[in-house]
Structure formats: structure tokens, C-alpha cells
Amino acid sequence: MSHHDHSHNHSHDHADIFHSHAPAGKMQLAFFLTLFIFAAEIAGGWLSHSLALFSDAGHVLTDIAAIGLSWFAMKQSEKPANQEMTFGYYRAGILAAFLNGLLLILVTLWILWEAYQRFQHPQPVSPGWMFVSAGVGLCINLYLGLGMRHEEDINVKSAVLHMLGDAAASAGVIIGGLIILFTRWYLVDPLLSVLIAVLIALGAWRIVKQAVGILMEGTPKGIQFEKVVNEIKSVQGVQGVHDIHMWSITNGKNALSCHVILDGRMSIQESQIILRAIEHRLAHVGIGHATIQIEDSNHPHTDSEFCAAIETHNHS
């Protein structure tokens, strides 16, 4: 018997486990403001000959892609489930985050190569334009990043990571500009570029790792496999559980399927009470969507908690 979300008549609510609030309006604003930052930093990099500003502009370009993809993904995720996409379009956001992470890694490699060239042949840099362009980036990124830092959606998180990283990079560019202004030590510019590249790479790795985990149907982050199994087994009337799968539909939307062994003489009404008890416990450990197959001890199965081949019988 398959079973999906049922409402609970309890005094507390589990609804927020299965909902994420993606601020599409905020992402739209962020998209256009980030375009403005990109234009300011490209102009500033060209006028000042600063690789650090160009590097930051490169990072901002990935922000534009990230925010644009996230904005698109949010609109896609609003589409209802249908016969072709029975889970809806939530994974569009995960794909956007994954592509964004890969794009960031490529940008990192470009910055490192350019920085290597600058170390070989240092170039004079005009700090005045560095202050102006980096100042614009610092202010806007702080405004956007701090304004959306509490959102749980993976795409918003990745975009906020970009914004705060850019804010830090812009602050670094301003400090670098001060050093150049007072010392004329132009190597600080490629040095800053390398630090920005490392910052980008660390963020990119976290995004790619989390997105791959979801796309590979891995056990959701923050969910302990053994704890979930023990919660199911602890429900009175459950004799065993096997063929367990746990995954995320998207960030924060966790699902589970399993086979549960009950007494074969039990009525359907009695089994429903046990199902509701299992659902209730799963909701408390962060799983809002459960599909549970009921079996008796005579049903062919192994004792493994993981997927096992079902025994087949020849029928004449």
C-alpha cells in the first residue's frame, strides 16, 4: 500500500517542513542592481587597469547568471505538478545552482591565470577608480546579501554567498587601492585577485557539492539515516522495515519510501493508525513526504535496510 502526505490532527504544525519561501521579487531587484555593479566594475577596471576589479567584475558576471538562473528557477518551481513532471519543477533550481557552481570554478581558473601574468609583468594601477567602482559593489552587495541572508532556498543561498563574497572582495579592492596609493606597490593587485579567486572557489565547491548530493538522490543534509530507521521501528506494531530510500526533491523538501512489516491479521483501519504514527515521527525528523508499502512477514524480502532484489516466483 502506497501512502502520501496526510494531514495530522495535532496541536502543532509540520507545514513549514515542506515549504520554502523564495523571494522572486527580491531576486528580480538583485538581478538589475547586480547588472549595475558589473557595469561599474568593468568601467572601473578599464579606467584603472586593475585586475582585482576585473576579477571582481568576473565574479559579478557569475552573480548575474546565478541570480538570473535562480529567478528563472523560482518561476519554474511555481508551476504545478503534471503527468510529465509528477514532482513539479523544483529540481530546476538545483540544476541552476549546479551550473552556477561550475561557472564559478571556470572563472576562478581565469583569474588565477591572469594573476600569474601580472606577477610576471606588474602593471601600474590607478587607485582612484578602484575606490569608486569597488565602493559601488561593496554597498549594493551588502544591501542585497544582508537583506536575503535568512532565506532557506538553495538558489537564494548561493546568490547570497556570491553577494557577500563580492562585498568582501570589494572591501579588499578598496584596501588594495589604499596600499597602492601610499606605497605604489602594484603587486598587491594580482595578489588580491588570487585571494578573490580562492574565495570564489570555496563557495563554488560548497554549492556544487550540495547540488550534486540532491541530484544523486543522496540522504538529505541534516538527516541521520539510523535515527530515521529507529523512529520507524519504535512505532508500536512495526515488526521491521527495509528497502529504505531517503532523498531531497529540492533543498528543504525531504522524502522517504520504505517497506514496513506489520502483523498480517491486522485490519486496514488498524494499519492506518500505525501509518499515521510513522508519518508523525518522520515529520519530527524533517521528512515531510513519505510513501510506505505495508507487508506481512510472509512477503518475500531480505532483512537489509537498503534496496534488495525482490524474490521472483515462477507461475505456471
Side-chain angles (χ1 to χ4, degrees), residues 3-23:
H3 181 69
H4 294 274
D5 291 326
H6 286 257
S7 58
H8 297 281
N9 295 320
H10 299 296
S11 59
H12 51 282
D13 185 19
H14 304 304
D16 57 343
I17 290 171
F18 208 66
H19 290 82
S20 63
H21 304 281

Side-chain angles (χ1 to χ4, degrees), residues 22 37 43 53 92 100 121 137 140 146 187 201 218 268 270 283:
I37 297 172
L53 263 183
N100 177 37
H121 309 286
I140 295 178
L146 295 177
L187 280 177
I268 291 176
E270 288 169 329

Side-chain angles (χ1 to χ4, degrees), residues 141-142 145-146 149 159-169 199:
N141 277 307
L142 281 177
L146 295 177
R149 69 187 184 280
V160 167
L161 188 68
H162 285 289
M163 293 165 190
L164 295 180
D166 268 345
L199 189 72

Side-chain angles (χ1 to χ4, degrees), residues 145-163:
L146 295 177
M148 291 192 287
R149 69 187 184 280
H150 297 304
E151 299 293 338
E152 288 300 315
D153 183 86
I154 187 174
N155 281 288
V156 180
K157 279 185 172 181
S158 68
V160 167
L161 188 68
H162 285 289
M163 293 165 190

Side-chain angles (χ1 to χ4, degrees), residues 168-298:
S170 295
V173 171
I174 291 169
I175 293 167
L178 287 170
I179 293 170
I180 291 170
L181 182 65
F182 290 109
T183 67
R184 299 294 171 186
W185 185 45
Y186 295 120
L187 280 177
V188 75
D189 187 60
L191 191 62
L192 271 173
S193 302
V194 171
L195 293 175
I196 292 170
V198 171
L199 189 72
I200 297 170
L202 290 173
W205 174 247
R206 282 195 295 270
I207 293 165
V208 169
K209 186 179 178 184
Q210 189 175 357
V212 166
I214 291 173
L215 293 172
M216 290 292 292
E217 308 281 347
T219 300
K221 186 180 178 183
I223 301 291
Q224 297 176 15
F225 187 90
E226 285 300 325
K227 184 177 180 181
V228 173
V229 172
N230 290 335
E231 287 288 341
I232 296 171
K233 286 181 175 179
S234 67
V235 174
Q236 188 174 357
V238 173
Q239 298 178 356
V241 59
H242 58 274
D243 202 0
I244 302 163
H245 299 277
M246 300 179 202
W247 71 98
S248 291
I249 300 165
T250 188
N251 190 55
K253 296 184 184 295
N254 301 325
L256 171 144
S257 70
C258 67
H259 296 196
V260 169
I261 302 170
L262 303 181
D263 186 335
R265 294 166 298 181
M266 187 177 289
S267 70
I268 291 176
Q269 188 176 14
E270 288 169 329
S271 71
Q272 289 297 305
I273 294 169
I274 294 173
L275 277 173
R276 282 193 288 272
I278 293 172
E279 283 181 332
H280 182 66
R281 297 199 182 202
L282 290 174
H284 276 289
V285 293
I287 296 173
H289 183 98
T291 304
I292 301 168
Q293 178 171 311
I294 298 297
E295 302 172 353
D296 65 12
S297 58
N298 294 321

